[in-house]
Amino acid sequence: MDLRAYIRDVPDFPKPGITFKDIMPLLGTPAAFAFAIAELAGHYPVTGIDAIAAAEARGFLFAAPMALTMKKPLIPFRKPGKLPGATHSFKYDLEYGSAELHVHSDAITAGARVLVVDDVLATGGTMAAACQLVERAGGTVVGCAFLIELASLNGRLPLAGYDIFSLLTY
Ligand code: AMP
């Protein structure tokens, strides 16, 4: 199945010069969405992974069905003020300002092997922060999985040392 047919390029969104990869056609086509999840989940040996994590918000759309498919716990990384319990957090810089991800302190057991998932690998900043949070919480990153990689943005650089898998590379 050609998943590229379900990714829509939106020029100059959210600002001039950015070509936004819109995944809504894929999400709106169950056969394509199911195929993407099966391909992502099928890339990993089920025995080597203890949990699936993702950063809010679009990462959840892929991490949740992967967690169900792979029969692994799902660990959502949330923005500040969303989680009711004690948390570990990691603050990171964006192009403008900064952002912060939180995870419940008891969500990742010591040494847990965590697969981190997101929709798009652009500059890699979001995934690098998510990986830092896994490690701060006591886990080990076994891989970073993406539906889409935008190769020209060199997002692999801040993820040096991690195993990276992207279903579609542009
Ligand atoms: P990154 O620069 O890798 O930290 O990307 C941050 C987040 O922004 C990713 O998780 C994507 O969801 C989103 N993103 C960045 N660039 C694009 C793009 N060109 N199209 C769609 N989503 C994007």
Side-chain angles (χ1 to χ4, degrees):
M1 182 178 247
D2 180 16
L3 289 179
R4 289 169 197 266
Y6 302 94
I7 309 294
R8 183 164 48 198
D9 276 5
V10 183
D12 299 319
F13 182 87
K15 55 185 180 179
I18 305 283
T19 300
F20 187 79
K21 295 291 181 194
D22 180 19
I23 59 168
M24 298 306 149
L26 184 134
L27 299 178
T29 310
F33 191 19
F35 182 79
I37 296 302
E39 291 286 303
L40 284 166
H43 179 75
Y44 295 95
V46 169
T47 50
I49 293 168
D50 298 314
I52 312 287
E56 188 167 346
R58 270 174 289 159
F60 294 174
L61 298 170
F62 293 89
M66 284 177 70
L68 286 176
T69 300
M70 299 169 80
K71 298 186 171 62
K72 302 295 177 186
L74 174 66
I75 305 173
F77 291 171
R78 307 256 8 224
K79 291 169 181 162
K82 302 284 189 187
L83 292 172
T87 63
H88 292 292
S89 65
F90 188 81
K91 196 170 182 180
Y92 59 105
D93 292 328
L94 295 173
E95 195 178 348
Y96 301 103
S98 65
E100 200 172 314
L101 291 173
H102 286 249
V103 64
H104 270 149
S105 302
D106 60 359
I108 297 177
T109 50
R113 297 162 299 175
V114 180
L115 174 65
V116 193
V117 178
D118 206 353
D119 64 334
V120 175
L121 172 58
T123 66
T126 305
M127 181 55 81
C131 292
Q132 293 282 324
L133 186 55
V134 168
E135 289 163 5
R136 185 166 285 185
T140 302
V141 176
V142 287
C144 306
F146 302 91
L147 176 71
I148 295 167
E149 175 175 352
L150 303 176
S152 62
L153 297 178
N154 296 315
R156 285 178 181 251
L157 289 181
L159 300 174
Y162 295 119
D163 178 73
I164 298 167
F165 173 66
S166 312
L167 212 45
L168 302 171
T169 301
Y170 288 87

